[in-house]
Amino acid sequence: MSSGRLDAVPARAAPTQGVPRHPAWGWLAGAVALAALAALAAAPAATASDYWLSLGINLLQYAVMATAWALFSGPTRYVSLATVAFFGIGAYTFAVLGETWPQPVVLLTALGLGVVLAVLTGLATLRLSGVHFVIFTFGLAELVRQLVTWWEVNVTKSVGRYVFVDITQREIYWQLLALLVAVLALGAWIRRSRLGLALRVIGDDEQVASHLGIDTARTKILLFAISAGFITLTGAVMAPRWTYLDPAIAFNPTVSFQVLIMALLGGAGRLFGPLAGVIPLVLLFEVLSARFPNHFPILLGLVFLGIVYLVPNGVLEAVQRAGRPRRTESPS
Amino acid sequence: MVLIDILLGGLTLGGLYALVAMGLTLQYGVARIMNLAHGEFLILASFAAFVLVSQWRLHPLLALVLALPLGFALQWAVYRVLLTPLVRRTQAGPALEADSILATFGLLFIVQGIVLVIFGGNYYSYSYLSVPVSILGSTVAANRLLVLALAVLIGGALYVALIKTRLGTAVRVVAVAPRFAPLVGIDVRALSALAFGLGGALVAACGVLVSMFLPFSASMGVVFTMKALVVVIMGGVGHLAGCLAAGLLLGLVESIVARLVDPGLTLAATYVLFLGVLLLRPAGLFGRAAR
């Protein structure tokens, strides 16, 4: 009763693992990925429309965050509810330092802050059971928001900041695309490395993992810090998009919720699972928030409940299961 | 007298937190559902009390009496309709906790969204018994004292019911040994629903109590949930006396921080307390080491 973790796909059901494939498939997939990347990178140059560009930014933003979320929460099955705490720290770091320091330095500072907070959170909770982690992350965004507000009220004497920098929407788009490539590449590498194997063992059974000599706490903290680092960077990259920023905007809890929904819809156990959830849901939320701005949180909650009840392991898993021939259904 | 002020304020808040956490520990310790929407149901009750008192001209104490059965019915139905499928799917195994966290996280946004649609994001309050009372040289509003007394009364009644009655004993059996409870003829599902509903009754009562002495807004639920969770962990899951001690401790610490440091740092104080528990006694002040 003290696990508090996503209990998604049992390891046995991960179907593509260990199945030998023809090497040509690898090349083909690589070529397709490169072509898609080139098309995505060139897309802003081809369209002059602000609407499509901002939709693209939205998609990429959630793609990076959902993939980064699943990097840690997918294999370990620890539900992190603190996404927006890190996102907000990134955005706020940029709001405070963005006008005076060069952008790469600001991004590095944000990254550092996010990683430090993640490591502290991990040190406090990840050595214990998953419940403590869930509870700690549940209030973390609110805590950081209150601390930032307190600081602004008492020290800088103003709540809310204007961000005036000359970073164009296109630059934001390209930076997010670079982040997405980085998080996917890192995710692919981790899955093949000893670290990824250790994570999967932890996800299956933590006691077995520690008996095998895996330093479970260190592994979890490392992965949580990497995941949080990407989310913080996303916040810092996105900050110039708003010209005005205050704690309520930067630490909006629906962001955590949306990232969680997207990752779960696609399936948090797979590298490309979150992407499969991001694309339909960003489009859906775009429509919903425009049409029903007042009822948006209710609809968001209903969509989420639908996912938890109907596709608990993500759509990719459901599709694969439906497409699989009958006789392999019961291998045990 | 600053000391008396802090003590009285801390006791009132602490009694309230203890009561909120008792509701949560029933839901989590017995029904095995970590209810992240707990605080939203509290705020829902506060708004219901606001409507009853300020528009229907009902007496706040009558609202409190109404809140108990209504809160019970509402959360009992939530368990039966929304959570039973999850219990069945996971066969009450370890996956239930993760699934229930996700489901109630969704519920949080739905309930909060409904309250926001109806009432908007502003703070609400009504005036009830806000007459000053002087105790040992310090002045408090009478409504705070009443809230403290009611919290003690409700919490005490629940404690006696769980310890002394046959049904209460059965509930405790489910909390301690859910797998063996059926062997002595206890219907675990029905009792889980009952415990979940009882938690709902408690949190609804807390909502009415909050509305008597604090301004409240639609987005405050998360903070109450967070504090209740911390109190439950601090007291040891499923431990009612632990809830009481931890709740009072949290109320006192908050009262000290709010009075002597800064009211904006109360959640930070909660977290510091939580960190202390995590580092020193992860099983809680009274809990035994789990696993």
Side-chain angles (χ1 to χ4, degrees), chain A residues 1-7 124 128 131-132 135-136 139-140 142-143 146 150 154 257 260 294 304-305 308-309 312, chain B residues 28 34 82 89 94-95 97-98 102-103 105-106 109 113-114 117 226 233 262 267-268 271 274-275 278-279 282 291:
Chain A
M1 65 162 277
S2 51
S3 74
R5 302 182 302 172
L6 278 177
D7 221 25
L128 306 167
V131 179
H132 296 92
I135 296 176
F136 201 92
L140 194 60
E142 182 65 19
L143 172 72
Q146 289 196 4
W150 179 82
N154 288 287
F257 192 42
L260 180 66
N294 293 330
F304 182 62
L305 283 186
V308 171
Y309 284 90
Chain B
Y28 182 50
M34 167 97 98
L82 212 57
R89 182 166 91 192
E97 197 164 80
L102 295 176
F105 196 49
F109 279 85
I114 292 172
V117 166
M226 185 65 209
I233 295 292
D262 191 297
L267 191 63
Y271 256 90
F274 188 29
L275 270 178
L278 287 177
L279 295 178
R291 292 242 256 218

Side-chain angles (χ1 to χ4, degrees), chain B residues 75-280:
Chain B
Q75 299 243 32
W76 187 85
V78 164
Y79 185 86
R80 280 292 179 194
V81 175
L82 212 57
L83 298 170
T84 306
L86 294 183
V87 177
R88 214 169 275 152
R89 182 166 91 192
T90 58
Q91 288 163 357
L96 175 61
E97 197 164 80
D99 276 5
S100 68
I101 286 172
L102 295 176
T104 54
F105 196 49
L107 198 59
L108 182 165
F109 279 85
I110 295 177
V111 177
Q112 193 185 53
I114 292 172
V115 176
L116 269 173
V117 166
I118 302 176
F119 294 96
N122 291 334
Y123 278 85
Y124 283 75
S125 68
Y126 57 83
S127 166
Y128 169 63
L129 268 189
S130 49
V131 285
V133 179
S134 169
I135 294 177
L136 296 174
S138 111
T139 353
V140 264
N143 51 23
R144 286 183 169 255
L145 292 178
L146 181 71
V147 165
L148 176 58
L150 286 172
V152 170
L153 193 72
I154 298 173
L158 178 74
Y159 188 78
V160 170
L162 283 182
I163 300 294
K164 296 283 180 195
T165 67
R166 203 181 158 80
L167 195 61
T169 310
V171 167
R172 285 185 295 135
V173 169
V174 176
V176 176
R179 281 172 56 209
F180 299 125
L183 298 180
V184 288
I186 292 174
D187 184 348
V188 174
R189 291 265 172 83
L191 273 185
S192 294
L194 178 84
F196 201 80
L198 269 182
L202 278 183
V203 84
C206 290
V208 179
L209 291 183
V210 164
S211 74
M212 288 180 185
F213 78 110
L214 283 177
F216 50 92
S217 79
S219 51
M220 267 170 72
V222 173
V223 177
F224 275 108
T225 310
M226 185 65 209
K227 285 175 180 167
L229 286 169
V230 171
V231 168
V232 166
I233 295 292
M234 201 156 49
V237 173
H239 204 296
L240 285 183
C243 268
L244 184 64
L248 287 179
L249 183 64
L250 180 64
L252 280 177
V253 168
E254 246 182 41
S255 178
I256 292 170
V257 169
R259 186 64 193 259
L260 301 181
V261 190
D262 191 297
L265 292 178
T266 47
L267 191 63
T270 310
Y271 256 90
V272 171
L273 215 54
F274 188 29
L275 270 178
V277 171
L278 287 177
L279 295 178
L280 302 176

